[in-house]
Amino acid sequence: TSLFQSKLRGRWSLYSPPGRLNNVFFMYRYCRMLEEGSFRGRTADFVFMFLFGGLLMTIFGMFVSLVFLGQAFTIMLVYIWSRRNPNVRMNFFGLLNFQAPFLPWVLMGFSLLLGNSIIVDLLGIAVGHVYYFLEDVFPNQPGGGRWLKTPSIM
């Protein structure tokens, strides 16, 4: 198995976290799609999402002794985008077709396949889910309200 993992890691080294070219690509792509999509005309809300996610990730990261949170932040953005675009069809390396909400889990599985720790991916998914729930799900529930309000100073 280690020979398979080392060959796969060598071949797809650009896709293995942390801090590789894929993080930059995913960060750019999903930031852009969020900003042009669900945050169009709402720059302050977009910045507030960054601040909320960064703060929550830093707090959770201390409990699991994570120092580098760039990959987790990227997964958080992917999670939020994927939940807000549930009908988008995705294709992973031409091998796997799935709906957008499964993208963070597919990326986590790929990370696991490469032999990386999935704790970073799980942290990003957890923080993304907290934001998505508080911003998109809970306010639409009976008796629910909007807990995340962008401060007027922004």
Side-chain angles (χ1 to χ4, degrees):
T1 317
S2 63
L3 178 64
F4 172 73
Q5 286 178 343
S6 66
K7 284 191 179 282
L8 190 61
R9 184 184 308 270
R11 181 161 296 181
W12 301 104
S13 63
L14 292 177
Y15 297 97
S16 61
R20 305 281 185 180
L21 188 58
N22 74 315
N23 288 340
V24 175
F25 172 75
F26 276 101
M27 178 76 80
Y28 170 76
R29 178 181 169 127
Y30 290 98
C31 269
R32 182 173 165 232
M33 289 196 299
L34 278 170
E35 189 175 19
E36 291 176 352
S38 58
F39 286 103
R40 181 179 295 276
R42 298 175 36 218
T43 306
D45 292 337
F46 188 62
V47 171
F48 185 69
M49 177 199 62
F50 267 69
L51 294 174
F52 176 80
L55 177 67
L56 200 58
M57 203 165 298
T58 302
I59 292 168
F60 288 168
M62 287 190 297
F63 289 111
V64 291
S65 301
L66 287 176
V67 180
F68 302 106
L69 300 171
Q71 172 73 12
F73 195 80
T74 301
I75 294 292
M76 178 196 80
L77 294 173
V78 169
Y79 184 89
I80 294 167
W81 176 85
S82 69
R83 296 299 293 191
R84 288 184 171 179
N85 296 281
N87 297 321
V88 174
R89 298 278 306 150
M90 306 293 296
N91 186 313
F92 192 70
F93 291 125
L95 301 172
L96 188 61
N97 294 311
F98 52 91
Q99 297 292 111
F102 294 105
L103 179 59
W105 302 103
V106 170
L107 293 174
M108 185 180 73
F110 188 66
S111 186
L112 185 65
L113 183 67
L114 290 174
N116 297 318
S117 172
I118 60 169
I119 208 75
V120 176
D121 295 333
L122 288 172
L123 177 63
I125 290 170
V127 171
H129 183 73
V130 168
Y131 179 83
Y132 172 75
F133 181 80
L134 292 176
E135 184 69 16
D136 296 345
V137 176
F138 188 68
N140 297 320
Q141 300 298 315
R146 192 154 180 241
W147 284 18
L148 295 180
K149 293 184 181 175
T150 305
S152 59
I153 196 166
M154 295 179 85

